[in-house]
Tab-separated table of all heavy atoms in Angstrom:
chain	number	residue	atom	x	y	z
B	117	MET	N	-67.521	59.148	-23.785
B	117	MET	CA	-66.299	59.614	-24.331
B	117	MET	C	-65.823	60.901	-23.930
B	117	MET	O	-64.622	61.168	-23.642
B	117	MET	CB	-66.289	59.581	-25.919
B	117	MET	CG	-66.534	58.091	-26.489
B	117	MET	SD	-65.387	56.954	-26.030
B	117	MET	CE	-63.923	57.514	-26.902
B	118	LYS	N	-66.739	61.758	-23.738
B	118	LYS	CA	-66.479	63.135	-23.109
B	118	LYS	C	-65.953	63.044	-21.690
B	118	LYS	O	-64.961	63.701	-21.204
B	118	LYS	CB	-67.644	64.049	-23.105
B	118	LYS	CG	-67.278	65.436	-22.862
B	118	LYS	CD	-68.444	66.440	-23.329
B	118	LYS	CE	-68.101	67.920	-23.116
B	118	LYS	NZ	-66.976	68.276	-23.835
B	119	SER	N	-66.551	62.112	-20.901
B	119	SER	CA	-66.180	61.932	-19.416
B	119	SER	C	-64.711	61.282	-19.426
B	119	SER	O	-63.824	61.604	-18.691
B	119	SER	CB	-67.141	61.001	-18.800
B	119	SER	OG	-68.327	61.660	-18.664
B	120	LEU	N	-64.449	60.332	-20.415
B	120	LEU	CA	-63.162	59.744	-20.567
B	120	LEU	C	-62.105	60.826	-20.830
B	120	LEU	O	-61.056	60.845	-20.315
B	120	LEU	CB	-63.171	58.616	-21.549
B	120	LEU	CG	-61.798	58.087	-21.980
B	120	LEU	CD1	-61.131	57.405	-20.800
B	120	LEU	CD2	-61.879	57.096	-23.123
B	121	GLU	N	-62.453	61.616	-21.785
B	121	GLU	CA	-61.522	62.751	-22.243
B	121	GLU	C	-61.181	63.603	-21.022
B	121	GLU	O	-59.962	63.900	-20.803
B	121	GLU	CB	-62.068	63.564	-23.399
B	121	GLU	CG	-61.312	64.556	-23.994
B	121	GLU	CD	-61.916	65.433	-25.115
B	121	GLU	OE1	-62.469	64.657	-26.003
B	121	GLU	OE2	-61.911	66.629	-24.937
B	122	THR	N	-62.301	63.960	-20.372
B	122	THR	CA	-62.008	64.776	-19.131
B	122	THR	C	-61.148	64.144	-18.070
B	122	THR	O	-60.297	64.748	-17.541
B	122	THR	CB	-63.403	65.245	-18.505
B	122	THR	OG1	-64.155	65.974	-19.529
B	122	THR	CG2	-63.210	66.010	-17.259
B	123	ALA	N	-61.428	62.772	-17.797
B	123	ALA	CA	-60.648	62.159	-16.922
B	123	ALA	C	-59.185	61.941	-17.303
B	123	ALA	O	-58.283	62.288	-16.472
B	123	ALA	CB	-61.145	60.730	-16.685
B	124	LEU	N	-58.887	61.874	-18.533
B	124	LEU	CA	-57.551	61.685	-19.097
B	124	LEU	C	-56.899	63.216	-18.918
B	124	LEU	O	-55.700	63.188	-18.649
B	124	LEU	CB	-57.485	61.298	-20.539
B	124	LEU	CG	-58.026	59.896	-20.726
B	124	LEU	CD1	-58.141	59.553	-22.289
B	124	LEU	CD2	-56.988	58.895	-20.147
B	125	GLU	N	-57.582	64.278	-19.064
B	125	GLU	CA	-56.955	65.474	-18.990
B	125	GLU	C	-56.691	65.918	-17.566
B	125	GLU	O	-55.665	66.406	-17.236
B	125	GLU	CB	-58.009	66.570	-19.602
B	125	GLU	CG	-58.114	66.554	-21.153
B	125	GLU	CD	-59.174	67.437	-21.583
B	125	GLU	OE1	-59.879	68.150	-20.833
B	125	GLU	OE2	-59.371	67.475	-22.871
B	126	MET	N	-57.531	65.456	-16.657
B	126	MET	CA	-57.368	65.679	-15.234
B	126	MET	C	-56.281	64.891	-14.684
B	126	MET	O	-55.615	65.225	-13.627
B	126	MET	CB	-58.705	65.521	-14.511
B	126	MET	CG	-59.750	66.583	-14.867
B	126	MET	SD	-61.338	66.318	-14.101
B	126	MET	CE	-60.849	66.489	-12.374
B	127	THR	N	-56.224	63.590	-15.066
B	127	THR	CA	-55.145	62.681	-14.593
B	127	THR	C	-54.225	62.224	-15.786
B	127	THR	O	-53.603	63.005	-16.415
B	127	THR	CB	-55.754	61.590	-13.865
B	127	THR	OG1	-56.580	60.749	-14.743
B	127	THR	CG2	-56.577	62.028	-12.701
B	128	ASN	N	-54.366	60.831	-16.098
B	128	ASN	CA	-53.698	60.285	-17.201
B	128	ASN	C	-54.206	58.923	-17.409
B	128	ASN	O	-55.129	58.465	-16.586
B	128	ASN	CB	-52.095	60.239	-16.986
B	128	ASN	CG	-51.751	59.527	-15.718
B	128	ASN	OD1	-52.239	58.343	-15.399
B	128	ASN	ND2	-50.689	59.965	-15.095
B	129	GLU	N	-53.815	58.222	-18.477
B	129	GLU	CA	-54.365	56.865	-18.781
B	129	GLU	C	-54.074	55.817	-17.674
B	129	GLU	O	-54.904	55.092	-17.321
B	129	GLU	CB	-53.789	56.445	-20.144
B	129	GLU	CG	-54.398	55.078	-20.532
B	129	GLU	CD	-53.787	54.652	-21.919
B	129	GLU	OE1	-52.763	55.277	-22.470
B	129	GLU	OE2	-54.319	53.601	-22.424
B	130	ASP	N	-52.886	55.965	-17.012
B	130	ASP	CA	-52.533	54.993	-16.046
B	130	ASP	C	-53.550	55.185	-14.690
B	130	ASP	O	-53.926	54.244	-14.241
B	130	ASP	CB	-51.141	55.240	-15.490
B	130	ASP	CG	-50.015	54.842	-16.482
B	130	ASP	OD1	-50.400	53.968	-17.524
B	130	ASP	OD2	-48.929	55.274	-16.322
B	131	ALA	N	-53.996	56.380	-14.414
B	131	ALA	CA	-54.898	56.612	-13.337
B	131	ALA	C	-56.118	56.064	-13.696
B	131	ALA	O	-56.930	55.540	-12.850
B	131	ALA	CB	-54.990	58.066	-13.104
B	132	VAL	N	-56.673	56.308	-14.990
B	132	VAL	CA	-57.942	55.750	-15.456
B	132	VAL	C	-57.886	54.255	-15.340
B	132	VAL	O	-58.975	53.604	-14.807
B	132	VAL	CB	-58.289	56.361	-16.714
B	132	VAL	CG1	-59.581	55.585	-17.393
B	132	VAL	CG2	-58.616	57.852	-16.825
B	133	ILE	N	-56.820	53.605	-15.764
B	133	ILE	CA	-56.717	52.151	-15.897
B	133	ILE	C	-56.784	51.720	-14.297
B	133	ILE	O	-57.428	50.614	-13.961
B	133	ILE	CB	-55.524	51.763	-16.550
B	133	ILE	CG1	-55.568	51.946	-18.020
B	133	ILE	CG2	-55.090	50.328	-16.166
B	133	ILE	CD1	-54.438	51.810	-18.874
B	134	ASP	N	-56.027	52.370	-13.395
B	134	ASP	CA	-55.947	51.992	-12.081
B	134	ASP	C	-57.387	52.055	-11.409
B	134	ASP	O	-57.768	50.964	-10.716
B	134	ASP	CB	-55.102	52.840	-11.287
B	134	ASP	CG	-53.628	52.435	-11.277
B	134	ASP	OD1	-53.396	51.357	-11.933
B	134	ASP	OD2	-52.810	53.284	-11.123
B	135	ALA	N	-58.216	53.091	-11.805
B	135	ALA	CA	-59.535	53.171	-11.177
B	135	ALA	C	-60.355	52.023	-11.726
B	135	ALA	O	-61.243	51.521	-11.068
B	135	ALA	CB	-60.086	54.563	-11.574
B	136	TYR	N	-60.296	51.781	-13.089
B	136	TYR	CA	-61.074	50.706	-13.726
B	136	TYR	C	-60.711	49.442	-13.074
B	136	TYR	O	-61.706	48.690	-12.815
B	136	TYR	CB	-60.723	50.739	-15.251
B	136	TYR	CG	-61.593	50.139	-16.239
B	136	TYR	CD1	-61.640	50.247	-17.572
B	136	TYR	CD2	-62.544	49.128	-15.800
B	136	TYR	CE1	-62.502	49.762	-18.492
B	136	TYR	CE2	-63.402	48.479	-16.761
B	136	TYR	CZ	-63.276	48.709	-18.007
B	136	TYR	OH	-64.111	48.114	-18.879
B	137	LEU	N	-59.439	49.130	-12.970
B	137	LEU	CA	-59.171	47.839	-12.442
B	137	LEU	C	-59.488	47.656	-10.944
B	137	LEU	O	-59.978	46.600	-10.496
B	137	LEU	CB	-57.629	47.460	-12.625
B	137	LEU	CG	-57.262	47.260	-14.151
B	137	LEU	CD1	-55.792	47.066	-14.215
B	137	LEU	CD2	-58.029	46.079	-14.636
B	138	ASP	N	-59.499	48.707	-10.179
B	138	ASP	CA	-59.972	48.748	-8.805
B	138	ASP	C	-61.440	48.489	-8.771
B	138	ASP	O	-62.056	47.640	-7.999
B	138	ASP	CB	-59.635	50.022	-8.126
B	138	ASP	CG	-58.207	50.209	-7.747
B	138	ASP	OD1	-57.443	49.198	-7.864
B	138	ASP	OD2	-57.808	51.353	-7.412
B	139	ILE	N	-62.317	49.094	-9.636
B	139	ILE	CA	-63.705	48.859	-9.726
B	139	ILE	C	-64.004	47.488	-10.248
B	139	ILE	O	-64.992	46.703	-9.665
B	139	ILE	CB	-64.367	49.988	-10.698
B	139	ILE	CG1	-64.287	51.307	-10.112
B	139	ILE	CG2	-65.810	49.583	-11.112
B	139	ILE	CD1	-64.495	52.395	-11.025
B	140	ARG	N	-63.158	46.846	-11.117
B	140	ARG	CA	-63.329	45.459	-11.459
B	140	ARG	C	-63.172	44.543	-10.293
B	140	ARG	O	-63.881	43.673	-10.036
B	140	ARG	CB	-62.426	45.086	-12.642
B	140	ARG	CG	-63.065	45.279	-13.964
B	140	ARG	CD	-62.119	44.737	-15.159
B	140	ARG	NE	-62.137	43.365	-15.293
B	140	ARG	CZ	-61.476	42.736	-16.336
B	140	ARG	NH1	-60.665	43.346	-17.065
B	140	ARG	NH2	-61.567	41.507	-16.419
B	141	SER	N	-62.106	44.846	-9.535
B	141	SER	CA	-61.637	44.008	-8.423
B	141	SER	C	-62.952	44.052	-7.492
B	141	SER	O	-63.257	42.966	-6.879
B	141	SER	CB	-60.457	44.421	-7.894
B	141	SER	OG	-60.061	43.584	-6.775
B	142	ASP	N	-63.460	45.246	-7.227
B	142	ASP	CA	-64.618	45.288	-6.290
B	142	ASP	C	-65.771	44.604	-6.830
B	142	ASP	O	-66.417	43.946	-6.038
B	142	ASP	CB	-64.896	46.771	-6.076
B	142	ASP	CG	-63.927	47.622	-5.202
B	142	ASP	OD1	-63.060	46.904	-4.654
B	142	ASP	OD2	-64.050	48.863	-5.396
B	143	PHE	N	-65.994	44.538	-8.085
B	143	PHE	CA	-67.101	43.873	-8.690
B	143	PHE	C	-66.942	42.325	-8.516
B	143	PHE	O	-67.922	41.626	-8.200
B	143	PHE	CB	-67.146	44.154	-10.336
B	143	PHE	CG	-68.306	43.425	-10.949
B	143	PHE	CD1	-69.673	43.716	-10.613
B	143	PHE	CD2	-67.996	42.420	-11.794
B	143	PHE	CE1	-70.707	42.999	-11.302
B	143	PHE	CE2	-68.966	41.747	-12.467
B	143	PHE	CZ	-70.335	41.991	-12.194
B	144	TYR	N	-65.678	41.865	-8.565
B	144	TYR	CA	-65.489	40.300	-8.298
B	144	TYR	C	-65.924	40.114	-6.891
B	144	TYR	O	-66.498	39.044	-6.623
B	144	TYR	CB	-64.067	39.985	-8.630
B	144	TYR	CG	-63.654	39.902	-10.029
B	144	TYR	CD1	-62.535	40.625	-10.409
B	144	TYR	CD2	-64.413	39.290	-10.892
B	144	TYR	CE1	-62.014	40.540	-11.777
B	144	TYR	CE2	-64.012	39.121	-12.269
B	144	TYR	CZ	-62.807	39.813	-12.633
B	144	TYR	OH	-62.335	39.762	-14.026
B	145	GLU	N	-65.538	40.927	-5.931
B	145	GLU	CA	-65.940	40.784	-4.528
B	145	GLU	C	-67.463	40.744	-4.324
B	145	GLU	O	-67.976	39.963	-3.644
B	145	GLU	CB	-65.156	41.925	-3.731
B	145	GLU	CG	-63.781	41.974	-3.582
B	145	GLU	CD	-63.278	40.945	-2.789
B	145	GLU	OE1	-63.909	40.237	-1.935
B	145	GLU	OE2	-61.931	40.739	-2.696
B	146	GLU	N	-68.182	41.723	-5.182
B	146	GLU	CA	-69.526	41.660	-5.093
B	146	GLU	C	-70.234	40.460	-5.593
B	146	GLU	O	-71.207	39.973	-4.964
B	146	GLU	CB	-70.160	42.922	-5.809
B	146	GLU	CG	-69.775	44.288	-5.339
B	146	GLU	CD	-69.996	45.398	-6.290
B	146	GLU	OE1	-70.721	45.303	-7.238
B	146	GLU	OE2	-69.529	46.553	-5.997
B	147	ILE	N	-69.599	39.814	-6.527
B	147	ILE	CA	-70.133	38.572	-7.147
B	147	ILE	C	-70.071	37.524	-5.988
B	147	ILE	O	-70.993	36.798	-5.848
B	147	ILE	CB	-69.248	38.128	-8.313
B	147	ILE	CG1	-69.623	38.971	-9.500
B	147	ILE	CG2	-69.634	36.689	-8.611
B	147	ILE	CD1	-68.654	38.774	-10.695
B	148	VAL	N	-68.888	37.445	-5.180
B	148	VAL	CA	-68.813	36.513	-4.222
B	148	VAL	C	-69.680	36.744	-3.109
B	148	VAL	O	-70.272	35.867	-2.483
B	148	VAL	CB	-67.299	36.389	-3.757
B	148	VAL	CG1	-67.156	35.487	-2.509
B	148	VAL	CG2	-66.425	35.902	-4.904
B	149	GLU	N	-69.899	38.102	-2.772
B	149	GLU	CA	-70.924	38.464	-1.588
B	149	GLU	C	-72.291	37.942	-1.990
B	149	GLU	O	-73.048	37.500	-1.209
B	149	GLU	CB	-70.882	39.888	-1.365
B	149	GLU	CG	-69.674	40.321	-0.681
B	149	GLU	CD	-69.610	41.902	-0.528
B	149	GLU	OE1	-70.769	42.508	-0.601
B	149	GLU	OE2	-68.549	42.513	-0.345
B	150	ARG	N	-72.648	38.230	-3.322
B	150	ARG	CA	-74.054	37.710	-3.675
B	150	ARG	C	-74.190	36.201	-3.824
B	150	ARG	O	-75.321	35.643	-3.707
B	150	ARG	CB	-74.341	38.406	-5.100
B	150	ARG	CG	-74.727	39.694	-4.977
B	150	ARG	CD	-75.304	40.298	-6.269
B	150	ARG	NE	-74.624	39.992	-7.466
B	150	ARG	CZ	-73.624	40.744	-8.011
B	150	ARG	NH1	-73.246	41.968	-7.509
B	150	ARG	NH2	-72.983	40.263	-9.068
B	151	ASP	N	-73.059	35.558	-4.191
B	151	ASP	CA	-73.027	34.143	-4.373
B	151	ASP	C	-71.840	33.387	-3.960
B	151	ASP	O	-70.784	33.361	-4.568
B	151	ASP	CB	-73.255	33.746	-5.966
B	151	ASP	CG	-73.368	32.268	-6.263
B	151	ASP	OD1	-73.320	31.446	-5.299
B	151	ASP	OD2	-73.721	31.988	-7.283
B	152	PRO	N	-71.817	33.132	-2.700
B	152	PRO	CA	-70.566	32.529	-1.997
B	152	PRO	C	-69.933	31.239	-2.758
B	152	PRO	O	-68.817	31.023	-2.545
B	152	PRO	CB	-70.989	32.190	-0.654
B	152	PRO	CG	-72.121	33.084	-0.365
B	152	PRO	CD	-72.876	33.239	-1.546
B	153	THR	N	-70.667	30.636	-3.622
B	153	THR	CA	-70.323	29.499	-4.218
B	153	THR	C	-69.048	29.850	-5.258
B	153	THR	O	-68.342	29.090	-5.799
B	153	THR	CB	-71.343	28.753	-5.040
B	153	THR	OG1	-71.821	29.454	-5.967
B	153	THR	CG2	-72.513	28.207	-4.049
Side-chain angles (χ1 to χ4, degrees):
M117 293 305 287
K118 189 163 186 63
S119 293
L120 172 60
E121 184 179 310
T122 300
L124 292 171
E125 287 172 1
M126 292 175 59
T127 60
N128 60 37
E129 186 179 5
D130 290 339
V132 171
I133 288 170
D134 283 342
Y136 194 161
L137 291 174
D138 288 346
I139 291 166
R140 265 184 87 178
S141 185
D142 291 346
F143 178 67
Y144 289 131
E145 296 281 350
E146 291 168 17
I147 290 171
V148 171
E149 285 176 25
R150 284 191 312 268
D151 183 354
T153 67

